[in-house]
Each structure stands twice: as structure tokens, then as C-alpha cells.
Amino acid sequence: MKRMIASLVVAVTALVATPNLSHAQWMGADPDYEPTWDKVMRTGKLMVGCVPNPPFASVDPSSSEWKGLHVKMASDLAEQMGVEWECVNTTWGNAALAIQTGKVDVVMTLSATPARAKAITFAGPVYQQSYMMVYGQNVEPKQTWTEYDNPDLRVAIVTGTSNEQLADSLMPNATKVKLAPNSSPSLAVTSGRADAYLSSLFTGMIALGKNPNIGGLSIPEPAATTLAYAGMRNEPDRRFTDFVGWWAEWNRNNGTIENWFRDALVNDFGVPSDMMPDDFKM
């Protein structure tokens, strides 16, 4: 009994003496594991997954530099951590894999779908976004999601995205025109291949402003909204996850994220300020 107690004291003492030891290292499951926080601090660089989908991110052809919401968020997050940052091109469909494989440390705005939650973890929410329908010139706008839920309506859907799952939930009976990842649903509508597509409020305003061949936008009732989270690696050391979570809450509550969105829409992507809803809130 004395030997058992002595062994236990030694084990507890060792654990207390190494408070930052990860569970994986402690159990010997992965001796090469390095927490994301430690890796970022060691390299001095935060790798951020940027999705080229305005207003979230886009490469400016005149300067070859990234611009948009993800850039504003990444810059501030890196500054608060005291490191540099770098945009890594990814897609909504590949974001979870990019995180899993270590290609990126964080993707700033993702829908926390059950499929993604199997592979990565989330911090936030960062903001709430509303959804609308972008419709073609020869399509009569509808007032409710029930009216859009019609087999005669062809809805363009980019496969592998959270919008696909939301469209299946809101309009299960509509005819889905499946598009490959990185395809343009806006192009599918203007070419006549589809009648409409589901869009966030932000991307819909940009599409209408840049494409005169689009018929218009409608915000069906009841309001459809989802929460967006920062996505990162699922790991036992939670310092990075917790820091991003508190960073998101701070900037959401004081209105900074709302201001970043407005700035990205108006100044980065040319949305007329009078197109912004009067009650624009995140």
C-alpha cells in the first residue's frame, strides 16, 4: 500500500510539474504532437484559410494582395497574438480537410455543420448571417420559402457546401442543379441553367451589384439565419481554441466584426452604401 501511494504521489507531482503537457503526449499516443498555439508562437506565423468568395476574401488583381473580411479578421487576430499571418487559398468544401492536414491553423468563418464537427472543432460564434434567394430575370420573386419549395423551380447548388444542406432543409422539393466546387451559381442563373440560388445576404448584394443580368434578390419569410464560427484543429490543448473564442466574442460584442463586414462590402467590393440594410446587424 505504501508503494502504491508513493507511486501515485510521484505521478501526480510529475503531472503538476508539466501543466502544458498535452493529453496525447502524456498518454504516449503521439510523441510528435505540437499544440497549435506552440507551433504558431514558434514559427511566428498564423496560417489562415482564405476562401476566394467576396466579401470573405479575394485577390486584388492590381496588387496580387488578399482583401476582404477574412483578411481584416486574420490581421487583427494575428496582431493580438503578436505574430505575422498568411492567407492560404482554400474552399468552403475543402476547409475542414485543410485544417485537419495542418495546411491552415484556422478558417475564420464556417458553418458548424455536423459533418465538419466530426473532423474539426469550432470557436465563436463569430457572427450571424441571413440568407436570401438570388433569382433570374424571368423569375417571379417569392415571398416565402414554401413558395420556393417547388419542383418547377431549378435551384443552383454548389456541392459540398453548407448552403447545399441549408437549401435541402428550406426547399427539399425544389429541383437542385448541382454545381462542382468553386463553380458560380450566379453564372448558372444568368445563363439560364438555373432559376435561382440560395445566397447569404452579403454575397447576394455583391452579385447583384456586379451582374446586371441578375433579376433581383428576395428575402423570403420566415427569416433564415445561421451562425458562423472559426474552425480549427480538434486537439487536447485548448489554448488556441479558447483564445480565438474570446477574441470572436470581444469583437462581436463591441461591433467590430459588423464594421469589418460593412467595410469589406462597401470599400473592398463596391457595394453601394445605400444597398446596406438600415438594420444591418451581425
Side-chain angles (χ1 to χ4, degrees):
M1 179 64 71
K2 290 181 179 179
R3 286 196 298 270
M4 291 178 61
I5 294 175
S7 298
L8 180 59
V9 170
V10 170
V12 171
T13 301
L15 180 60
V16 172
T18 55
N20 292 326
L21 193 65
S22 72
H23 295 150
Q25 287 174 315
W26 179 252
M27 298 303 294
D30 183 6
D32 297 325
Y33 164 69
E34 181 180 24
T36 300
W37 182 272
D38 291 343
K39 189 208 79 169
V40 172
M41 293 302 168
R42 175 178 57 81
T43 61
K45 181 170 287 189
L46 179 69
M47 306 302 289
V48 179
C50 293
V51 179
N53 178 204
F56 304 101
S58 179
V59 176
D60 189 331
S62 62
S63 64
S64 298
E65 294 182 354
W66 286 90
K67 63 180 181 179
L69 178 68
H70 286 172
V71 172
K72 300 177 193 302
M73 289 181 168
S75 177
D76 187 78
L77 178 60
E79 180 181 353
Q80 298 305 321
M81 295 181 69
V83 298
E84 302 295 322
W85 64 277
E86 180 180 331
C87 256
V88 179
N89 195 340
T90 188
T91 68
W92 299 125
N94 294 335
L97 181 60
I99 293 169
Q100 274 188 302
T101 57
K103 185 178 179 181
V104 303
D105 301 315
V106 62
V107 176
M108 303 307 303
T109 57
L110 286 174
S111 295
T113 65
R116 284 174 177 157
K118 293 178 182 178
I120 60 176
T121 193
F122 299 93
V126 180
Y127 64 85
Q128 175 179 278
Q129 64 179 345
S130 301
Y131 286 86
M132 60 169 56
M133 292 296 288
V134 180
Y135 56 87
Q137 289 187 337
N138 298 320
V139 177
E140 187 71 23
K142 319 297 182 187
Q143 301 301 313
T144 68
W145 292 107
T146 301
E147 292 177 275
Y148 279 109
D149 188 24
N150 188 325
D152 293 334
L153 185 78
R154 299 168 300 161
V155 178
I157 294 295
V158 177
T159 59
T161 65
S162 58
N163 277 19
E164 179 181 21
Q165 299 180 42
L166 186 60
D168 286 340
S169 174
L170 293 170
M171 301 167 287
N173 298 308
T175 299
K176 307 302 191 302
V177 178
K178 302 284 187 176
L179 305 178
N182 300 325
S183 297
S184 169
S186 177
L187 181 60
V189 169
T190 55
S191 67
R193 184 180 175 190
D195 300 312
Y197 70 92
L198 178 72
S199 168
S200 72
L201 175 67
F202 320 118
T203 56
M205 287 193 293
I206 292 174
L208 182 62
K210 290 191 173 184
N211 195 334
N213 294 320
I214 286 179
L217 312 173
S218 70
I219 304 178
E221 294 291 340
T225 61
T226 61
L227 295 173
Y229 296 79
M232 61 214 68
R233 181 167 58 155
N234 191 4
E235 58 181 339
D237 188 303
R238 290 192 54 85
R239 285 174 295 167
F240 182 62
T241 304
D242 290 345
F243 184 86
V244 174
W246 287 114
W247 170 88
E249 182 170 326
W250 171 264
N251 286 293
R252 186 180 70 250
N253 288 343
N254 66 24
T256 301
I257 289 177
E258 183 179 307
N259 291 335
W260 285 334
F261 247 117
R262 187 183 296 274
D263 184 50
L265 287 165
V266 175
N267 296 319
D268 288 351
F269 299 108
V271 173
S273 57
D274 57 7
M275 277 188 65
M276 299 293 295
D278 293 335
D279 57 349
F280 179 74
K281 296 293 181 184
M282 303 305 301

